[in-house]
Coordinates of all heavy atoms in Angstrom, one line a residue:
M1 N -15.0 -34.2 -45.0 CA -16.1 -33.8 -45.9 C -16.4 -32.3 -45.7 O -16.4 -31.9 -44.6 CB -17.4 -34.6 -45.5 CG -18.5 -34.5 -46.5 SD -19.8 -35.8 -46.4 CE -19.0 -37.2 -46.9
E2 N -16.5 -31.6 -46.8 CA -16.8 -30.2 -46.7 C -18.2 -29.9 -46.9 O -18.9 -30.5 -47.8 CB -16.0 -29.5 -47.8 CG -16.2 -28.0 -47.9 CD -15.5 -27.4 -49.1 OE1 -14.9 -28.1 -49.9 OE2 -15.5 -26.1 -49.2
I3 N -18.8 -29.0 -46.1 CA -20.2 -28.7 -46.2 C -20.3 -27.2 -46.7 O -19.6 -26.3 -46.1 CB -21.0 -28.8 -44.9 CG1 -20.8 -30.2 -44.3 CG2 -22.4 -28.4 -45.0 CD1 -21.4 -31.3 -45.1
K4 N -21.1 -27.0 -47.7 CA -21.3 -25.6 -48.2 C -22.8 -25.3 -48.0 O -23.7 -26.1 -48.4 CB -20.9 -25.5 -49.7 CG -19.4 -25.7 -50.0 CD -19.1 -25.4 -51.4 CE -17.6 -25.6 -51.6 NZ -17.2 -25.4 -53.0
H5 N -23.0 -24.1 -47.4 CA -24.4 -23.7 -47.1 C -24.7 -22.5 -48.0 O -23.9 -21.6 -48.2 CB -24.5 -23.3 -45.7 CG -25.8 -22.8 -45.3 ND1 -26.0 -21.8 -44.4 CD2 -27.1 -23.2 -45.6 CE1 -27.3 -21.6 -44.2 NE2 -28.0 -22.4 -44.9
S6 N -25.9 -22.5 -48.6 CA -26.4 -21.3 -49.3 C -27.8 -21.1 -48.9 O -28.6 -22.0 -48.5 CB -26.3 -21.6 -50.8 OG -27.2 -22.6 -51.2
D7 N -28.2 -19.8 -48.9 CA -29.5 -19.4 -48.4 C -29.8 -18.0 -49.1 O -29.0 -17.1 -48.9 CB -29.5 -19.2 -46.9 CG -30.9 -19.0 -46.4 OD1 -31.7 -18.2 -46.9 OD2 -31.3 -19.6 -45.3
N8 N -30.9 -18.0 -49.8 CA -31.3 -16.7 -50.5 C -32.4 -15.9 -49.8 O -33.0 -15.0 -50.3 CB -31.6 -17.0 -52.0 CG -32.9 -17.7 -52.2 OD1 -33.7 -17.9 -51.2 ND2 -33.2 -18.2 -53.4
G9 N -32.7 -16.4 -48.6 CA -33.8 -15.7 -47.8 C -35.2 -16.4 -48.0 O -36.0 -16.2 -47.1
S10 N -35.4 -17.2 -49.0 CA -36.6 -17.9 -49.1 C -36.4 -19.4 -49.2 O -37.2 -20.2 -48.7 CB -37.4 -17.5 -50.4 OG -36.7 -17.8 -51.6
K11 N -35.2 -19.8 -49.6 CA -34.8 -21.2 -49.6 C -33.3 -21.4 -49.5 O -32.6 -20.4 -49.8 CB -35.4 -22.0 -50.7 CG -35.1 -21.5 -52.1 CD -35.8 -22.4 -53.1 CE -36.1 -21.6 -54.4 NZ -36.8 -22.5 -55.4
G12 N -32.9 -22.6 -49.2 CA -31.4 -22.8 -49.1 C -31.1 -24.3 -49.2 O -32.0 -25.1 -49.4
S13 N -29.8 -24.6 -49.0 CA -29.3 -25.9 -49.1 C -28.0 -26.1 -48.3 O -27.3 -25.1 -48.1 CB -29.2 -26.4 -50.5 OG -28.1 -25.7 -51.2
F14 N -27.8 -27.3 -48.0 CA -26.5 -27.7 -47.5 C -26.0 -28.8 -48.4 O -26.7 -29.8 -48.7 CB -26.6 -28.3 -46.1 CG -27.0 -27.3 -45.0 CD1 -28.4 -27.1 -44.8 CD2 -26.1 -26.6 -44.3 CE1 -28.8 -26.2 -43.8 CE2 -26.5 -25.7 -43.4 CZ -27.8 -25.5 -43.1
R15 N -24.8 -28.6 -49.0 CA -24.2 -29.5 -49.9 C -22.9 -30.1 -49.3 O -22.1 -29.3 -48.8 CB -23.9 -28.9 -51.3 CG -25.1 -28.4 -52.0 CD -24.8 -27.7 -53.3 NE -25.9 -27.2 -54.0 CZ -26.6 -27.9 -54.9 NH1 -26.2 -29.2 -55.2 NH2 -27.7 -27.5 -55.5
A16 N -22.8 -31.4 -49.5 CA -21.5 -32.1 -49.0 C -20.7 -32.4 -50.2 O -21.1 -32.9 -51.2 CB -21.9 -33.3 -48.2
F17 N -19.4 -32.2 -50.0 CA -18.4 -32.5 -51.0 C -17.2 -33.3 -50.4 O -16.8 -33.1 -49.3 CB -17.8 -31.3 -51.6 CG -18.8 -30.4 -52.4 CD1 -19.6 -29.5 -51.7 CD2 -18.9 -30.6 -53.7 CE1 -20.5 -28.7 -52.4 CE2 -19.9 -29.9 -54.4 CZ -20.7 -28.9 -53.8
E18 N -16.8 -34.3 -51.1 CA -15.7 -35.2 -50.7 C -14.7 -35.2 -51.9 O -15.1 -35.7 -53.0 CB -16.2 -36.6 -50.3 CG -15.1 -37.5 -49.8 CD -14.7 -37.3 -48.4 OE1 -15.6 -36.8 -47.6 OE2 -13.6 -37.5 -48.0
N19 N -13.5 -34.7 -51.7 CA -12.5 -34.7 -52.7 C -13.0 -34.1 -54.0 O -12.8 -34.6 -55.1 CB -11.9 -36.1 -53.0 CG -11.3 -36.7 -51.8 OD1 -10.6 -36.0 -51.1 ND2 -11.5 -38.0 -51.6
G20 N -13.8 -33.0 -53.9 CA -14.3 -32.3 -55.0 C -15.5 -32.8 -55.6 O -16.2 -32.2 -56.5
A21 N -16.0 -34.0 -55.2 CA -17.2 -34.6 -55.7 C -18.4 -34.3 -54.8 O -18.2 -34.4 -53.6 CB -17.0 -36.1 -55.9
E22 N -19.5 -34.0 -55.4 CA -20.7 -33.7 -54.6 C -21.2 -35.0 -54.0 O -21.5 -35.9 -54.8 CB -21.8 -33.0 -55.4 CG -22.9 -32.6 -54.5 CD -23.9 -31.6 -55.1 OE1 -24.1 -31.8 -56.3 OE2 -24.5 -30.8 -54.4
A23 N -21.3 -35.1 -52.7 CA -21.8 -36.4 -52.1 C -23.2 -36.4 -51.8 O -23.9 -37.4 -51.7 CB -20.9 -36.6 -50.8
G24 N -23.8 -35.2 -51.5 CA -25.2 -35.1 -51.2 C -25.7 -33.7 -50.9 O -24.9 -32.8 -50.9
I25 N -27.0 -33.6 -50.7 CA -27.6 -32.3 -50.5 C -28.9 -32.4 -49.6 O -29.6 -33.4 -49.7 CB -28.0 -31.6 -51.9 CG1 -28.6 -30.2 -51.6 CG2 -28.9 -32.5 -52.7 CD1 -28.8 -29.4 -52.9
I26 N -29.1 -31.4 -48.8 CA -30.4 -31.2 -48.1 C -30.9 -29.9 -48.6 O -30.1 -28.9 -48.5 CB -30.2 -31.2 -46.5 CG1 -30.2 -32.6 -46.0 CG2 -31.3 -30.4 -45.9 CD1 -30.2 -32.7 -44.5
S27 N -32.1 -29.8 -49.0 CA -32.7 -28.6 -49.5 C -33.8 -28.2 -48.5 O -34.5 -29.1 -48.0 CB -33.2 -28.6 -50.9 OG -34.1 -29.6 -51.1
Y28 N -34.0 -26.9 -48.3 CA -35.0 -26.4 -47.4 C -35.6 -25.1 -47.9 O -35.1 -24.4 -48.8 CB -34.5 -26.2 -46.0 CG -33.4 -25.1 -45.9 CD1 -33.8 -23.8 -45.6 CD2 -32.1 -25.4 -45.9 CE1 -32.8 -22.8 -45.5 CE2 -31.1 -24.4 -45.8 CZ -31.5 -23.1 -45.6 OH -30.6 -22.1 -45.4
T29 N -36.8 -24.8 -47.4 CA -37.6 -23.6 -47.7 C -37.9 -23.0 -46.4 O -38.3 -23.7 -45.4 CB -38.8 -23.9 -48.5 OG1 -38.5 -24.6 -49.7 CG2 -39.6 -22.7 -48.8
W30 N -37.8 -21.7 -46.3 CA -38.3 -21.0 -45.1 C -39.8 -21.0 -45.0 O -40.5 -20.6 -46.0 CB -37.7 -19.5 -45.1 CG -36.3 -19.5 -44.7 CD1 -35.2 -19.4 -45.6 CD2 -35.7 -19.6 -43.4 NE1 -34.0 -19.5 -44.9 CE2 -34.3 -19.6 -43.5 CE3 -36.3 -19.8 -42.1 CZ2 -33.4 -19.7 -42.5 CZ3 -35.4 -19.8 -41.0 CH2 -34.0 -19.8 -41.2
H31 N -40.3 -21.4 -43.9 CA -41.8 -21.4 -43.7 C -42.2 -20.0 -43.1 O -43.2 -19.4 -43.6 CB -42.1 -22.5 -42.6 CG -43.5 -22.5 -42.2 ND1 -44.6 -22.8 -43.0 CD2 -44.1 -22.2 -41.0 CE1 -45.7 -22.7 -42.4 NE2 -45.5 -22.4 -41.1
D32 N -41.4 -19.5 -42.2 CA -41.5 -18.1 -41.7 C -40.2 -17.7 -41.2 O -39.2 -18.5 -41.3 CB -42.6 -18.0 -40.7 CG -42.5 -18.9 -39.5 OD1 -41.3 -19.2 -39.1 OD2 -43.5 -19.4 -38.9
E33 N -40.0 -16.6 -40.5 CA -38.7 -16.2 -40.0 C -38.2 -17.1 -38.9 O -37.0 -16.9 -38.5 CB -38.7 -14.7 -39.6 CG -39.7 -14.4 -38.5 CD -39.8 -12.9 -38.2 OE1 -39.8 -12.2 -39.2 OE2 -39.9 -12.6 -37.0
H34 N -39.0 -17.9 -38.3 CA -38.6 -18.8 -37.2 C -38.5 -20.3 -37.5 O -38.1 -21.0 -36.6 CB -39.5 -18.6 -36.0 CG -39.7 -17.2 -35.6 ND1 -38.7 -16.4 -35.0 CD2 -40.7 -16.3 -35.8 CE1 -39.2 -15.2 -34.8 NE2 -40.4 -15.1 -35.2
T35 N -38.8 -20.7 -38.7 CA -39.0 -22.1 -39.1 C -38.6 -22.3 -40.5 O -39.0 -21.6 -41.4 CB -40.4 -22.6 -38.8 OG1 -40.9 -22.1 -37.6 CG2 -40.5 -24.1 -38.8
F36 N -37.8 -23.4 -40.7 CA -37.6 -23.8 -42.1 C -38.0 -25.3 -42.3 O -38.0 -26.1 -41.3 CB -36.2 -23.6 -42.6 CG -35.0 -24.3 -41.9 CD1 -34.6 -25.5 -42.4 CD2 -34.4 -23.7 -40.9 CE1 -33.5 -26.2 -41.8 CE2 -33.3 -24.4 -40.3 CZ -32.9 -25.6 -40.8
I37 N -38.3 -25.6 -43.5 CA -38.9 -27.0 -43.9 C -37.8 -27.7 -44.6 O -37.4 -27.3 -45.7 CB -40.1 -26.9 -44.7 CG1 -41.2 -26.1 -44.0 CG2 -40.6 -28.2 -45.2 CD1 -42.3 -25.6 -44.9
I38 N -37.3 -28.8 -44.1 CA -36.4 -29.7 -44.9 C -37.3 -30.5 -45.9 O -38.1 -31.3 -45.4 CB -35.6 -30.6 -44.0 CG1 -34.6 -29.8 -43.1 CG2 -34.8 -31.7 -44.8 CD1 -33.8 -30.7 -42.2
E39 N -37.1 -30.2 -47.1 CA -37.9 -30.8 -48.2 C -37.3 -32.1 -48.8 O -38.0 -33.0 -49.1 CB -38.2 -29.8 -49.3 CG -38.9 -28.6 -48.8 CD -39.1 -27.6 -49.9 OE1 -38.2 -27.3 -50.7 OE2 -40.2 -27.0 -49.9
H40 N -36.0 -32.1 -49.0 CA -35.4 -33.2 -49.7 C -34.0 -33.5 -49.1 O -33.3 -32.5 -48.7 CB -35.2 -32.9 -51.2 CG -36.4 -32.6 -51.9 ND1 -37.3 -33.5 -52.2 CD2 -36.9 -31.4 -52.4 CE1 -38.3 -33.0 -52.9 NE2 -38.1 -31.7 -53.0
T41 N -33.6 -34.7 -49.0 CA -32.3 -35.1 -48.7 C -31.9 -36.2 -49.7 O -32.6 -37.1 -49.9 CB -32.2 -35.8 -47.3 OG1 -32.7 -34.9 -46.3 CG2 -30.8 -36.1 -46.9
I42 N -30.8 -35.9 -50.4 CA -30.3 -36.8 -51.4 C -28.8 -37.1 -51.1 O -28.0 -36.1 -51.0 CB -30.4 -36.2 -52.8 CG1 -31.9 -35.9 -53.1 CG2 -29.8 -37.1 -53.9 CD1 -32.1 -35.1 -54.4
G43 N -28.5 -38.3 -50.9 CA -27.1 -38.7 -50.7 C -26.7 -39.8 -51.7 O -27.5 -40.7 -52.0
K44 N -25.5 -39.6 -52.3 CA -25.0 -40.6 -53.2 C -24.6 -41.9 -52.4 O -23.9 -41.7 -51.4 CB -23.9 -40.1 -54.1 CG -24.4 -39.0 -55.0 CD -23.2 -38.5 -55.9 CE -23.8 -37.4 -56.8 NZ -22.7 -36.8 -57.6
P45 N -25.0 -43.0 -52.9 CA -24.8 -44.3 -52.1 C -23.3 -44.5 -51.8 O -23.0 -45.1 -50.7 CB -25.3 -45.4 -53.0 CG -26.2 -44.7 -54.0 CD -25.8 -43.3 -54.1
E46 N -22.4 -44.1 -52.6 CA -21.0 -44.3 -52.4 C -20.4 -43.5 -51.2 O -19.3 -43.7 -50.8 CB -20.2 -44.1 -53.7 CG -20.2 -42.7 -54.3 CD -21.3 -42.6 -55.3 OE1 -22.4 -43.2 -55.3 OE2 -21.1 -41.7 -56.2
F47 N -21.2 -42.5 -50.8 CA -20.8 -41.7 -49.6 C -21.7 -42.0 -48.4 O -22.6 -41.3 -48.0 CB -20.9 -40.2 -50.0 CG -20.0 -39.8 -51.1 CD1 -20.5 -39.7 -52.4 CD2 -18.7 -39.6 -50.9 CE1 -19.7 -39.3 -53.5 CE2 -17.8 -39.2 -51.9 CZ -18.4 -39.1 -53.2
K48 N -21.5 -43.2 -47.8 CA -22.3 -43.7 -46.7 C -22.2 -42.7 -45.6 O -21.2 -42.2 -45.2 CB -21.7 -45.0 -46.3 CG -22.6 -45.7 -45.3 CD -22.5 -47.2 -45.4 CE -23.4 -47.9 -44.4 NZ -24.7 -47.9 -44.8
G49 N -23.4 -42.4 -45.0 CA -23.5 -41.5 -43.9 C -23.6 -40.0 -44.2 O -23.7 -39.2 -43.3
V50 N -23.6 -39.7 -45.5 CA -23.7 -38.3 -45.9 C -25.0 -37.6 -45.5 O -25.0 -36.4 -45.1 CB -23.4 -38.1 -47.4 CG1 -24.5 -38.6 -48.2 CG2 -23.1 -36.6 -47.7
G51 N -26.1 -38.3 -45.5 CA -27.3 -37.7 -45.0 C -27.3 -37.3 -43.6 O -27.8 -36.2 -43.3
T52 N -26.7 -38.1 -42.7 CA -26.5 -37.7 -41.3 C -25.6 -36.5 -41.2 O -25.9 -35.6 -40.4 CB -26.0 -38.9 -40.5 OG1 -26.9 -40.0 -40.6 CG2 -25.8 -38.5 -39.0
V53 N -24.6 -36.4 -41.9 CA -23.7 -35.3 -41.9 C -24.4 -34.0 -42.3 O -24.3 -32.9 -41.6 CB -22.4 -35.5 -42.8 CG1 -21.6 -34.2 -42.9 CG2 -21.6 -36.6 -42.3
L54 N -25.2 -34.1 -43.3 CA -26.0 -32.9 -43.8 C -27.1 -32.5 -42.8 O -27.2 -31.3 -42.5 CB -26.6 -33.3 -45.2 CG -25.6 -33.3 -46.3 CD1 -26.3 -34.0 -47.5 CD2 -25.1 -32.0 -46.7
L55 N -27.7 -33.5 -42.2 CA -28.8 -33.2 -41.2 C -28.1 -32.5 -40.0 O -28.6 -31.6 -39.5 CB -29.5 -34.4 -40.8 CG -30.6 -34.1 -39.8 CD1 -31.7 -33.2 -40.4 CD2 -31.3 -35.4 -39.3
N56 N -26.9 -33.0 -39.6 CA -26.2 -32.4 -38.5 C -25.9 -30.9 -38.8 O -26.0 -30.0 -37.9 CB -25.0 -33.1 -38.1 CG -25.2 -34.5 -37.5 OD1 -26.3 -34.7 -37.0 ND2 -24.2 -35.3 -37.5
A57 N -25.5 -30.6 -40.0 CA -25.3 -29.2 -40.4 C -26.5 -28.4 -40.3 O -26.5 -27.2 -39.9 CB -24.7 -29.2 -41.8
A58 N -27.7 -28.9 -40.8 CA -28.9 -28.2 -40.7 C -29.3 -28.0 -39.2 O -29.8 -26.9 -38.9 CB -30.0 -29.0 -41.4
V59 N -29.1 -29.0 -38.4 CA -29.5 -28.8 -37.0 C -28.6 -27.8 -36.3 O -29.0 -26.9 -35.5 CB -29.4 -30.2 -36.2 CG1 -29.4 -30.0 -34.7 CG2 -30.5 -31.1 -36.7
D60 N -27.3 -27.8 -36.6 CA -26.3 -26.8 -36.1 C -26.7 -25.4 -36.5 O -26.7 -24.5 -35.7 CB -24.9 -27.1 -36.5 CG -24.3 -28.3 -35.9 OD1 -24.9 -28.8 -34.8 OD2 -23.3 -28.8 -36.4
F61 N -27.1 -25.3 -37.8 CA -27.6 -24.0 -38.3 C -28.8 -23.5 -37.5 O -28.9 -22.3 -37.1 CB -27.9 -24.1 -39.8 CG -28.5 -22.9 -40.4 CD1 -27.8 -21.8 -40.6 CD2 -29.8 -22.9 -40.8 CE1 -28.4 -20.6 -41.2 CE2 -30.4 -21.8 -41.4 CZ -29.7 -20.7 -41.6
A62 N -29.8 -24.4 -37.3 CA -31.0 -24.0 -36.6 C -30.7 -23.6 -35.2 O -31.2 -22.6 -34.7 CB -32.0 -25.2 -36.6
R63 N -29.8 -24.3 -34.5 CA -29.4 -23.9 -33.2 C -28.7 -22.5 -33.1 O -29.0 -21.7 -32.3 CB -28.5 -25.0 -32.6 CG -29.2 -26.2 -32.2 CD -28.3 -27.3 -31.7 NE -29.0 -28.5 -31.3 CZ -28.5 -29.7 -31.3 NH1 -27.3 -29.9 -31.7 NH2 -29.3 -30.7 -30.9
Q64 N -27.8 -22.3 -34.1 CA -27.1 -21.0 -34.1 C -28.1 -19.9 -34.4 O -27.9 -18.8 -33.8 CB -26.0 -21.0 -35.2 CG -24.9 -21.9 -34.9 CD -24.0 -22.2 -36.1 OE1 -24.1 -21.5 -37.2 NE2 -23.0 -23.0 -36.0
K65 N -29.1 -20.1 -35.2 CA -30.0 -19.0 -35.6 C -31.2 -18.9 -34.6 O -32.0 -18.0 -34.7 CB -30.5 -19.3 -37.0 CG -29.5 -19.1 -38.1 CD -29.1 -17.7 -38.2 CE -28.2 -17.4 -39.4 NZ -27.7 -16.0 -39.4
G66 N -31.3 -19.9 -33.8 CA -32.5 -20.0 -32.8 C -33.8 -20.2 -33.6 O -34.8 -19.6 -33.2
V67 N -33.8 -21.1 -34.6 CA -35.0 -21.4 -35.3 C -35.3 -22.9 -35.2 O -34.5 -23.6 -34.7 CB -34.8 -20.9 -36.8 CG1 -34.6 -19.4 -37.0 CG2 -33.7 -21.7 -37.5
K68 N -36.4 -23.2 -35.8 CA -36.9 -24.6 -35.7 C -37.0 -25.2 -37.1 O -37.0 -24.5 -38.1 CB -38.3 -24.7 -35.1 CG -38.4 -24.1 -33.6 CD -37.7 -25.0 -32.7 CE -37.8 -24.6 -31.2 NZ -37.2 -25.4 -30.3
I69 N -37.1 -26.6 -37.1 CA -37.1 -27.3 -38.4 C -38.4 -28.1 -38.4 O -38.8 -28.7 -37.5 CB -35.9 -28.3 -38.4 CG1 -34.6 -27.5 -38.5 CG2 -36.0 -29.2 -39.7 CD1 -33.4 -28.4 -38.4
I70 N -39.0 -28.1 -39.6 CA -40.1 -29.0 -39.9 C -39.6 -30.0 -40.9 O -39.3 -29.6 -42.1 CB -41.3 -28.2 -40.6 CG1 -41.9 -27.1 -39.6 CG2 -42.4 -29.2 -41.0 CD1 -42.9 -26.2 -40.3
P71 N -39.4 -31.2 -40.5 CA -38.9 -32.3 -41.4 C -40.0 -32.8 -42.3 O -40.9 -33.5 -41.8 CB -38.3 -33.3 -40.5 CG -39.1 -33.2 -39.2 CD -39.5 -31.8 -39.2
V72 N -40.0 -32.6 -43.6 CA -41.0 -33.1 -44.5 C -40.5 -34.3 -45.2 O -41.2 -35.3 -45.4 CB -41.5 -32.0 -45.5 CG1 -42.3 -32.6 -46.6 CG2 -42.2 -30.9 -44.8
C73 N -39.2 -34.3 -45.6 CA -38.6 -35.5 -46.3 C -38.6 -36.7 -45.4 O -38.4 -36.6 -44.1 CB -37.3 -35.2 -46.9 SG -35.9 -35.4 -45.9
S74 N -38.7 -37.9 -45.9 CA -38.8 -39.1 -45.1 C -37.5 -39.3 -44.3 O -37.6 -39.8 -43.2 CB -39.1 -40.3 -46.0 OG -38.1 -40.5 -47.0
F75 N -36.4 -39.0 -44.9 CA -35.1 -39.2 -44.2 C -35.0 -38.4 -42.9 O -34.7 -38.8 -41.8 CB -33.9 -39.0 -45.1 CG -32.6 -39.0 -44.3 CD1 -32.0 -40.2 -44.0 CD2 -32.0 -37.8 -44.0 CE1 -30.8 -40.2 -43.3 CE2 -30.8 -37.8 -43.3 CZ -30.2 -39.0 -42.9
A76 N -35.3 -37.1 -43.1 CA -35.2 -36.2 -41.9 C -36.3 -36.5 -40.9 O -35.9 -36.5 -39.7 CB -35.4 -34.7 -42.4
K77 N -37.5 -36.9 -41.3 CA -38.5 -37.3 -40.3 C -38.0 -38.5 -39.5 O -38.1 -38.5 -38.3 CB -39.8 -37.7 -41.0 CG -40.7 -36.6 -41.4 CD -41.9 -37.2 -42.0 CE -42.9 -36.2 -42.5 NZ -44.1 -36.8 -43.1
R78 N -37.5 -39.5 -40.2 CA -37.0 -40.7 -39.5 C -35.8 -40.4 -38.6 O -35.8 -40.9 -37.5 CB -36.5 -41.7 -40.6 CG -36.3 -43.1 -40.1 CD -36.1 -44.1 -41.2 NE -35.0 -43.8 -42.1 CZ -35.2 -43.4 -43.4 NH1 -36.5 -43.2 -43.9 NH2 -34.3 -43.1 -44.2
M79 N -35.0 -39.5 -39.0 CA -33.8 -39.2 -38.1 C -34.3 -38.4 -36.8 O -33.7 -38.6 -35.8 CB -32.8 -38.4 -38.9 CG -32.1 -39.2 -40.0 SD -31.3 -40.7 -39.4 CE -29.9 -40.0 -38.5
F80 N -35.3 -37.5 -37.0 CA -35.8 -36.9 -35.8 C -36.4 -37.8 -34.8 O -36.4 -37.7 -33.6 CB -36.7 -35.7 -36.2 CG -36.0 -34.4 -36.4 CD1 -35.7 -34.0 -37.7 CD2 -35.7 -33.6 -35.4 CE1 -35.0 -32.8 -38.0 CE2 -35.0 -32.4 -35.6 CZ -34.7 -32.0 -36.9
E81 N -37.1 -38.9 -35.4 CA -37.7 -39.9 -34.5 C -36.6 -40.7 -33.8 O -36.8 -41.1 -32.7 CB -38.6 -40.8 -35.4 CG -39.9 -40.1 -35.9 CD -40.6 -40.9 -36.9 OE1 -40.2 -42.0 -37.3 OE2 -41.6 -40.4 -37.5
K82 N -35.5 -41.0 -34.5 CA -34.5 -41.9 -34.0 C -33.5 -41.2 -33.0 O -32.9 -41.8 -32.2 CB -33.7 -42.5 -35.1 CG -34.3 -43.6 -35.9 CD -33.4 -44.1 -36.9 CE -33.9 -45.3 -37.6 NZ -32.9 -45.9 -38.6
R83 N -33.4 -39.9 -33.2 CA -32.4 -39.1 -32.4 C -33.0 -38.0 -31.6 O -33.1 -36.9 -32.0 CB -31.4 -38.5 -33.4 CG -30.6 -39.6 -34.2 CD -29.7 -38.9 -35.2 NE -28.8 -38.0 -34.6 CZ -28.2 -37.0 -35.2 NH1 -28.4 -36.8 -36.5 NH2 -27.3 -36.2 -34.6
P84 N -33.5 -38.4 -30.4 CA -34.2 -37.4 -29.6 C -33.3 -36.2 -29.2 O -33.8 -35.1 -28.8 CB -34.6 -38.2 -28.3 CG -33.9 -39.5 -28.4 CD -33.5 -39.7 -29.8
E85 N -32.0 -36.4 -29.2 CA -31.0 -35.3 -28.9 C -31.1 -34.1 -29.8 O -30.5 -33.1 -29.5 CB -29.6 -35.9 -28.7 CG -28.9 -36.3 -30.0 CD -29.2 -37.7 -30.5 OE1 -30.1 -38.4 -30.0 OE2 -28.5 -38.1 -31.5
I86 N -31.7 -34.3 -31.0 CA -31.8 -33.1 -31.9 C -33.2 -32.5 -31.9 O -33.5 -31.6 -32.6 CB -31.4 -33.5 -33.3 CG1 -32.3 -34.6 -33.9 CG2 -30.0 -34.0 -33.4 CD1 -32.1 -34.9 -35.4
N87 N -34.1 -33.1 -31.1 CA -35.5 -32.6 -31.1 C -35.6 -31.2 -30.5 O -36.7 -30.6 -30.6 CB -36.4 -33.5 -30.3 CG -36.7 -34.8 -31.2 OD1 -36.5 -34.8 -32.4 ND2 -37.2 -35.8 -30.5
D88 N -34.6 -30.6 -29.9 CA -34.7 -29.2 -29.5 C -34.9 -28.2 -30.6 O -35.4 -27.1 -30.4 CB -33.4 -28.8 -28.7 CG -32.1 -28.9 -29.6 OD1 -31.8 -30.0 -30.1 OD2 -31.4 -27.9 -29.7
V89 N -34.6 -28.6 -31.8 CA -34.9 -27.8 -33.0 C -36.1 -28.2 -33.8 O -36.4 -27.7 -34.9 CB -33.6 -27.6 -33.9 CG1 -32.5 -26.9 -33.2 CG2 -33.2 -28.9 -34.5
L90 N -36.8 -29.2 -33.3 CA -38.0 -29.7 -34.0 C -39.1 -28.8 -33.8 O -39.5 -28.6 -32.6 CB -38.3 -31.2 -33.6 CG -39.4 -31.9 -34.2 CD1 -39.3 -32.0 -35.7 CD2 -39.7 -33.2 -33.6
A91 N -39.8 -28.3 -34.8 CA -40.9 -27.5 -34.7 C -42.1 -28.3 -34.0 O -42.3 -29.4 -34.4 CB -41.4 -26.9 -36.0
G92 N -42.7 -27.7 -33.1 CA -43.9 -28.4 -32.4 C -43.5 -29.3 -31.3 O -44.3 -30.0 -30.7
A93 N -42.2 -29.5 -31.1 CA -41.7 -30.5 -30.1 C -41.8 -29.9 -28.7 O -41.8 -28.7 -28.5 CB -40.3 -31.0 -30.4

């Protein structure tokens, strides 16, 4: 699965592609220079697990940049609750 990241300084996204087909997307908005908000996660059902792949890309990005994540979308919130190993990038944790 290929992940493409875009960021224009105020918002961005991680998009997953499999064999040229878009499998899913996580979109985010910058809250400030140290925190971004995951607003939406959309995964096509035929690409099982794509949401987790996208969230992992967002977590890796946050770690590389030394920033935190505010999960607003229900999927991201649930994953932060289920996976304590990623809470190092959770804002307010």
